[in-house]
Amino acid sequence: MSLRQTEEIEMAAYQAGDVEALGRIYEQLKQPLYLFIYRYTRDEQLSIDVVQDTFIKIQQYKQSFSPEKGSLKNFLFQTAYRIMIDKLNRRKKWYRLMPFLKPEDPQPANTEDKLTVQQAISSLPEKQRAVILLTYYHDLSQAEIAQMLEIPAGTVKSRLHHAISSLKNMLGGDYL
Amino acid sequence: MNQDPFKHEEQLKTFLDSYHVDIPEFQTEKPGKWQRVIQWLATPVKNPLDPLVETVRSYSLAGTLPIVLGLVIAVLT
């Protein structure tokens, strides 16, 4: 049985009233969700908040999931992405009003490679960043990403192409 | 359309693979409001006075501020 099927069975059980199924879904999907949000924002507390809010939303709207529309993973990632963008937009407004509330830049990482890959991904435009993270680290298809980000599949393809080119240009030199 | 875009990008793949993240332990439930307020208050922020510290401006400000304040107090009293 594939992972997707297992997730869908668990979700069907949760929709039918098995409360413990949500815990199993949480254990299975909280890590990929956290990784996506963290790599996008590089903010640990925000990433935890988004994962928790996503599961609160899932509890409220559990009946709106339907396997015919897409996988549970895609459904959760879409919900998390929307929550994250809302939070980031709200933050930007606050920081514009009160710039002194802006937190310090994320701590530099221990190793040189890690620091470079973090910086490289963070410096990509937000739209390209989401596409490359979802494609490379989360193995989502371009059709799934298009559905999740609510953009045409062609746009996903071009953003991915630009993201790869930008990364290659940024990293250039000795590494690539 | 779904041809692997990283197929011929071995070095880029190696580079992206080096992005490791330590995942902290956290629960499904969010902490209470007070705890969140405390966490927010404890978040380190940039010092808003940083641009004034150890710059030419800070020296001129330190030099002129007492005079300006003295003048203001003299005018007010």
Side-chain angles (χ1 to χ4, degrees):
Chain A
M1 193 184 292
S2 73
L3 197 63
R4 181 178 171 162
Q5 282 171 320
T6 315
E7 288 163 4
E8 281 168 11
I9 290 169
E10 294 290 11
M11 190 60 186
Y14 180 58
Q15 285 173 320
D18 178 1
V19 184
E20 285 177 7
L22 183 68
R24 293 191 290 271
I25 295 170
Y26 180 74
E27 285 308 316
Q28 234 168 41
L29 289 168
K30 78 167 181 181
Q31 285 198 0
L33 269 181
Y34 177 86
L35 287 172
F36 169 55
I37 305 296
Y38 182 81
R39 285 185 176 127
Y40 192 100
T41 62
R42 289 176 70 192
D43 183 327
E44 186 178 300
Q45 191 53 52
L46 178 79
S47 310
I48 293 173
D49 284 349
V50 171
V51 174
Q52 289 170 329
D53 285 348
T54 303
F55 278 89
I56 290 170
K57 264 245 156 88
I58 295 304
Q59 291 174 55
Q60 290 166 345
Y61 299 101
K62 63 179 178 183
Q63 297 304 342
S64 56
F65 170 73
S66 159
E68 289 86 41
K69 289 185 203 162
S71 67
L72 177 63
K73 183 180 168 186
N74 207 32
F75 181 66
L76 279 169
F77 269 67
Q78 187 175 35
T79 309
Y81 180 75
R82 284 178 185 163
I83 292 171
M84 175 184 73
I85 294 296
D86 279 352
K87 281 185 187 290
L88 289 177
N89 287 341
R90 228 176 296 149
R91 267 191 180 186
K92 278 181 199 163
K93 278 184 197 164
W94 274 105
Y95 294 157
R96 227 174 289 140
L97 288 170
M98 291 181 269
F100 53 86
L101 285 181
K102 203 170 183 178
E104 287 175 326
D105 290 333
Q107 292 292 313
N110 296 331
T111 66
E112 208 172 294
D113 285 351
K114 194 175 175 184
L115 176 69
T116 315
V117 72
Q118 285 174 333
Q119 285 179 331
I121 288 180
S122 296
S123 64
L124 286 175
E126 289 185 358
K127 289 171 178 177
Q128 291 179 18
R129 204 186 311 158
V131 171
I132 199 149
L133 290 177
L134 293 167
T135 307
Y136 190 74
Y137 294 109
H138 301 286
D139 216 19
L140 293 182
S141 70
Q142 290 177 7
E144 284 174 316
I145 297 170
Q147 188 194 5
M148 192 186 129
L149 304 182
E150 295 174 323
I151 53 175
T155 310
V156 174
K157 200 176 179 181
S158 72
R159 282 184 191 174
L160 184 60
H161 172 77
H162 287 301
I164 291 174
S165 304
S166 305
L167 280 177
K168 283 166 76 176
N169 283 338
M170 265 187 266
L171 305 175
D174 298 331
Y175 202 96
L176 293 178
Chain B
M1 179 184 151
N2 284 329
Q3 191 192 357
D4 182 8
F6 297 96
K7 199 174 177 183
H8 305 293
E9 307 291 352
E10 286 308 317
Q11 286 171 306
L12 181 61
K13 277 161 73 173
T14 309
F15 184 77
L16 290 171
D17 286 341
S18 69
Y19 198 156
H20 300 296
V21 178
D22 296 322
I23 303 172
E25 273 302 315
F26 59 93
Q27 300 301 312
T28 335
E29 292 87 23
K30 294 182 82 166
K33 257 188 188 163
W34 281 112
Q35 204 180 330
R36 293 173 65 75
V37 170
I38 290 165
Q39 275 175 1
W40 179 73
L41 288 173
T43 310
V45 294
K46 276 183 189 165
N47 182 358
L49 298 177
D50 261 353
L52 295 174
V53 178
E54 288 178 15
T55 61
V56 178
R57 254 192 301 172
S58 68
Y59 291 121
S60 50
L61 190 70
T64 54
L65 199 63
I67 301 167
V68 174
L69 281 175
L71 283 172
V72 171
I73 292 167
V75 169
L76 289 175
T77 51

